[in-house]
């Protein structure tokens, strides 16, 4: 039995339980330095390099059967999208989680073992589990064809310089040029990318696809959409720190609410790494 525990980078302690660093966890309606799901759960916890993790997950599934659900946390080492696709082919179960939050002082690898990723395979039959994923960017602005310099760098969007294209779209929507949270690129599964600009290059926090849609959430709609998803006493919510930055007042959520640097999203039969997303693990007594 082990607990799912999360804490700010300054307070993170891998010995407290399975989890990762997060920005401003919320529990019982209040922000705190650290928080745990109240019940210890029967789980198999694995950590290591991607190839070793895949082998360990396969061995565990052969020994104990497929888990009900898997919590995946990443240490911001890259390669998350490809790893999740391979993991899904080994563990045919819903997944939730995300990338550890970090800061300059405490570093990026604030997960158990300090490796690229860690897994908690949940086998506790006292509970039933459900995973939900939500994209709050519901307004379609454009259909986009991307020319990529690499998996996470955009050269052009619909034939125009990527930075200039985004600048013009933001101006038309009344957004600041530095606003990369209300406007996003979304893949065919409805999972977002969090864009940023590094010099003249437009970068993404997740792998991109050649064809995506440009989507928007209005500032006055964001809070209500986020609050509605977090408002669940039986859940752990893995939300994006970028979305947390849109909040202009406390959520006062009864859930264990987290703000991470990337989210593990279950969409249909697929698990995908994304940004600016909300992912929820609900745990109910069986």
């Amino acid at each position: 039995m082990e607990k799912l525990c999360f804490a700010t980078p300054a307070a993170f302690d891998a010995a407290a339980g399975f989890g990762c660093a997060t920005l401003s966890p919320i529990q019982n309606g209040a922000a705190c330095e650290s928080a745990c799901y109240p019940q210890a759960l029967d789980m198999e916890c694995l950590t290591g390099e991607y190839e070793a993790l895949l082998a360990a997950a396969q061995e565990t599934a052969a020994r104990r059967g497929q888990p009900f659900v898997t919590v995946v946390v990443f240490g911001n080492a890259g390669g998350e999208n490809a790893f999740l696709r391979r993991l899904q082919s080994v563990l045919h179960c819903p997944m939730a989680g995300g990338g550890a939050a970090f800061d300059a002082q405490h570093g990026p690898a604030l997960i158990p073992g300090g490796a690229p990723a860690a897994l908690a395979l949940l086998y506790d039959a006292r509970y039933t589990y459900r995973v939900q994923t939500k994209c709050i960017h519901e307004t379609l602005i454009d259909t986009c064809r991307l020319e990529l310099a690499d998996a996470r760098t955009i050269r052009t969007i619909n034939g125009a310089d990527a930075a200039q294209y985004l600048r013009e779209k933001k101006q038309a929507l009344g957004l600041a040029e530095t606003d990369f949270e209300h406007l996003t690129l979304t893949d065919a599964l409805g999972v977002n990318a969090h864009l940023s600009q590094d010099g003249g290059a437009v970068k993404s926090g997740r792998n991109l696809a050649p064809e995506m849609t440009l989507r928007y959430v209005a500032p006055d709609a964001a809070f209500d959409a986020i609050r509605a998803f977090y408002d669940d006493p039986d859940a752990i919510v893995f939300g994006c720190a970028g979305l947390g930055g849109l909040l202009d007042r406390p959520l006062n959520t009864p859930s264990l609410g987290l703000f991470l640097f990337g989210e593990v999203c279950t969409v249909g039969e697929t698990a995908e790494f994304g940004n600016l997303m909300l992912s929820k693990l609900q745990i109910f007594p069986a």
Side-chain angles (χ1 to χ4, degrees), residues 91-111:
L91 301 177
H92 303 282
C93 69
M95 298 184 185
F102 61 91
D103 58 31
Q105 181 179 354
H106 297 93
L110 295 175
I111 65 172

Side-chain angles (χ1 to χ4, degrees), residues 54-144:
L54 290 166
Q58 188 167 31
E59 185 280 326
T60 303
R63 175 167 48 86
R64 296 198 61 177
Q66 298 292 346
F68 295 112
V69 67
T70 298
V71 177
V72 185
V73 294
F74 287 105
N76 301 288
E80 296 92 348
N81 296 89
F83 172 76
L84 278 177
R85 284 194 294 271
R86 296 179 66 192
L87 183 65
Q88 187 70 57
S89 71
V90 172
L91 301 177
H92 303 282
C93 69
M95 298 184 185
F102 61 91
D103 58 31
Q105 181 179 354
H106 297 93
L110 295 175
I111 65 172
L119 312 176
L121 284 62
L122 273 61
Y123 287 98
D124 203 318
R126 297 173 300 165
Y127 301 93
T128 58
Y129 308 87
R130 183 168 62 182
V131 170
Q132 295 185 53
T133 296
K134 182 172 180 62
C135 170
I136 70 169
H137 296 73
E138 297 182 345
T139 301
L140 175 64
I141 300 298
D142 200 1
T143 300
C144 300

Side-chain angles (χ1 to χ4, degrees), residues 2-6 27-28 35-41 126-127 233-236 254-256 283:
E2 193 163 350
K3 282 193 172 184
L4 295 168
C5 295
F6 304 87
Q27 194 161 38
N28 300 322
C36 296
Y37 186 75
Q39 304 301 326
L41 301 169
R126 297 173 300 165
Y127 301 93
D234 299 306
I236 304 172
S255 68
L256 174 50
I283 304 174

Side-chain angles (χ1 to χ4, degrees), residues 170-186:
K170 290 177 189 178
Q171 186 175 34
L173 292 165
L175 300 176
E177 188 174 337
T178 55
D179 188 335
F180 286 98
E181 287 72 45
H182 290 98
L183 195 67
T184 183
L185 287 172
T186 307

Side-chain angles (χ1 to χ4, degrees), residues 190-208:
V191 180
N192 292 334
H194 192 180
L195 305 178
S196 62
Q197 198 161 340
D198 182 6
V202 175
K203 302 278 189 177
S204 167
R206 55 150 296 185
N207 287 8
L208 299 161

